Amino acid sequence: MEHRQSAELYQRAAASTPGGVHSNTRARSPHPIYFERAEGPYLYDVDGNRYLDFVLGNGAIILGHGNPEVQQAVAAVIAQGLTTGSETRLAVEAAELLLQQVPTAEMVRFANSGTEAVMHALELARSATGRRRVAKVEGAYHGWDSQMYVSAWPDLGLAGPSEAPQPVPAHKGLDADVARSTIILPFNDVAATRRIVEEHADELAAVIVEPVMMDIGYVEATREYIHELRRITKDHGIVFIFDELLTGFRVAPGGAQSHYGVTPDLSTFGKAIANGYAVAAVAGRREIMDEARPGGSCAWVGTFNGHAVSMAAVGATLRQFEGSGVWRALQERMTYLEQRFARRAKERGVDVVLRGRGGNFHWYFTAESVQDYRSAATSSTERYQQFAKTAAERGIHLAPGTLSHHSLTVAHEQEHLDAFVDCL
Ligand SMILES: Cc1ncc(COP(=O)(O)O)c(C=O)c1O
């Protein structure tokens, strides 16, 4: 593939923008690819190359790029000239649609990114409990806030013993005191998690969990783990938050909470709820959510909240989720992909396992059973990079990290999945 124009753009971009990218995960060697168009399962770069996309806006695209219904709804609102800073019918409808999809939630409010939504959820929890500290799972990513960008893909040399993981701030720019105040839980270790939560119960405002850890690929919580967390947080008056930024509407039509049959106090959504437009949401119990009302105990403001374009995209996306046809279509593709991949791995004699559900998936080059960050980190970086290199040569767009996550859309057909599997 010829990348002359991407290389030239990189030269310019590197002069004006750190690393030539606006989010570090987009960096690639020898330079990022600069894109200009997308349609269905494909991305097109500035050199005219076509890529079969499995990154899909870090999981934000679920209906395929440029889904006609979403594009039409967005075009219609743009034509009306209204952008932001006011309340709209579109936002009322989007909120109602989201609550219909998540029957466990009673109220919802929109923000602009997952990081923001998580920050609002934590503020609501602090406000509701009068406590300050929060607990998260080792290896989980919940955005770049100082209290959360801790022990996300940590260096295991700094992370302490697996049953008592230590907070490892992701970088020097975080408020170190805040970052080190975060309590770290070992995923799927019920006894150790119970002990740590009980030890800190009086100071914990919230426990936040991504019920299927998709930011390290695809690692499901056991039902016992999730139900025990629900029980213990309830017993101690701790707000239990599900981060459904990625699991939302992929793990199951009502999100991971309907898959596990658990009602969290709050949950965060985003990404796939608007098929690529910038929006996120916090949903949950009325009693806690309502503290964000004007005059409540937890102020929540934002210039771009409920932006008309995003609200139009949420409405047009969520309407297509009604009746769970989208989820079933994604799950059919997942089953096909899992089976085809397992067959190929066996034929090639490679220790690799692909896991996924509802169109989010990842594959691990390891013989270990993957059940948390530490076991996921045994996946061979060399084998992953080899696979990613073969894929790139064949015009298949993958995420660069060994513990990244990948997605499918309803626009991905069998031939696309075959092309992916054939890279093994
Ligand atoms: C589970 C989870 N939470 C939070 C975030 C942060 O979302 P955003 O990138 O929109 O700030 C992400 C993004 O990757 C995520 O996957």
Side-chain angles (χ1 to χ4, degrees), residues 24-59:
N24 288 353
T25 57
R26 296 174 200 158
R28 297 285 190 283
S29 177
H31 56 75
I33 308 292
Y34 293 82
F35 294 97
E36 64 183 8
R37 195 166 70 78
E39 191 179 359
Y42 295 115
L43 287 171
Y44 297 83
D45 73 10
V46 286
D47 288 285
N49 299 309
R50 188 179 82 168
Y51 302 81
L52 180 55
D53 188 12
F54 289 97
V55 177
L56 295 157
N58 298 346

Side-chain angles (χ1 to χ4, degrees), residues 91-351:
V92 176
E93 288 172 359
E96 287 171 354
L97 282 164
L98 196 134
L99 292 178
Q100 278 162 28
Q101 300 279 331
V102 188
T104 51
E106 295 167 333
M107 294 188 107
V108 60
R109 195 182 259 195
F110 291 108
N112 302 287
S113 72
T115 299
E116 261 185 60
V118 167
M119 289 168 78
H120 286 304
L122 296 179
E123 287 185 348
L124 282 165
R126 286 194 287 267
S127 168
T129 58
R131 303 172 188 162
R132 184 178 142 256
R133 298 183 76 180
V134 301
K136 73 174 279 287
V137 163
E138 183 174 65
Y141 178 68
H142 300 289
W144 38 262
D145 170 46
S146 284
Q147 214 169 2
M148 287 289 101
Y149 204 3
V150 184
S151 297
W153 313 286
D155 174 345
L156 286 175
L158 304 173
S162 63
E163 67 289 353
Q166 296 306 299
V168 183
H171 61 88
K172 283 189 181 169
L174 302 179
D175 180 328
D177 290 342
V178 171
R180 290 192 196 285
S181 77
T182 301
I183 290 157
I184 308 300
L185 306 173
F187 197 55
N188 278 335
D189 183 339
V190 174
T193 294
R194 188 191 301 125
R195 177 181 50 75
I196 297 168
V197 172
E198 276 172 353
E199 208 171 291
H200 295 282
D202 293 345
E203 51 180 354
L204 269 177
V207 169
I208 183 165
V209 64
E210 191 189 17
V212 178
M213 292 185 71
M214 290 188 175
D215 277 302
I216 55 166
Y218 186 94
V219 187
E220 290 188 0
T222 62
R223 280 179 189 270
E224 187 196 1
Y225 189 73
I226 291 294
H227 283 270
E228 178 61 12
L229 269 180
R230 176 62 289 187
R231 190 192 63 72
I232 197 171
T233 47
K234 195 168 189 180
D235 284 355
H236 292 284
I238 301 165
V239 175
F240 190 32
I241 304 173
F242 266 26
D243 182 349
E244 297 241 36
L245 257 293
L246 279 166
T247 55
F249 309 128
R250 285 201 193 254
V251 166
Q257 48 204 279
S258 78
H259 175 63
Y260 283 97
V262 156
T263 304
D265 299 306
L266 297 175
S267 9
T268 53
F269 292 92
K271 303 209 183 203
I273 66 170
N275 205 50
Y277 288 88
V279 71
V282 182
R285 275 171 51 201
R286 179 177 301 277
E287 185 195 338
I288 302 177
M289 290 295 301
D290 208 33
E291 286 305 322
R293 72 187 183 278
S297 64
C298 187
W300 175 334
V301 294
T303 300
F304 296 113
N305 293 355
H307 193 289
V309 167
S310 308
M311 294 298 100
V314 170
T317 303
L318 293 187
R319 278 191 192 93
Q320 294 180 67
F321 291 170
E322 281 168 357
S324 69
V326 166
W327 183 80
R328 276 200 305 276
L330 289 169
Q331 188 55 15
E332 270 168 26
R333 286 160 175 73
M334 260 329 307
T335 307
Y336 176 81
L337 181 66
E338 268 177 309
Q339 289 172 353
R340 259 291 262 119
F341 194 89
R343 234 184 11 250
R344 176 90 173 175
K346 200 165 167 197
E347 282 160 17
R348 313 273 299 179
V350 184
D351 263 335

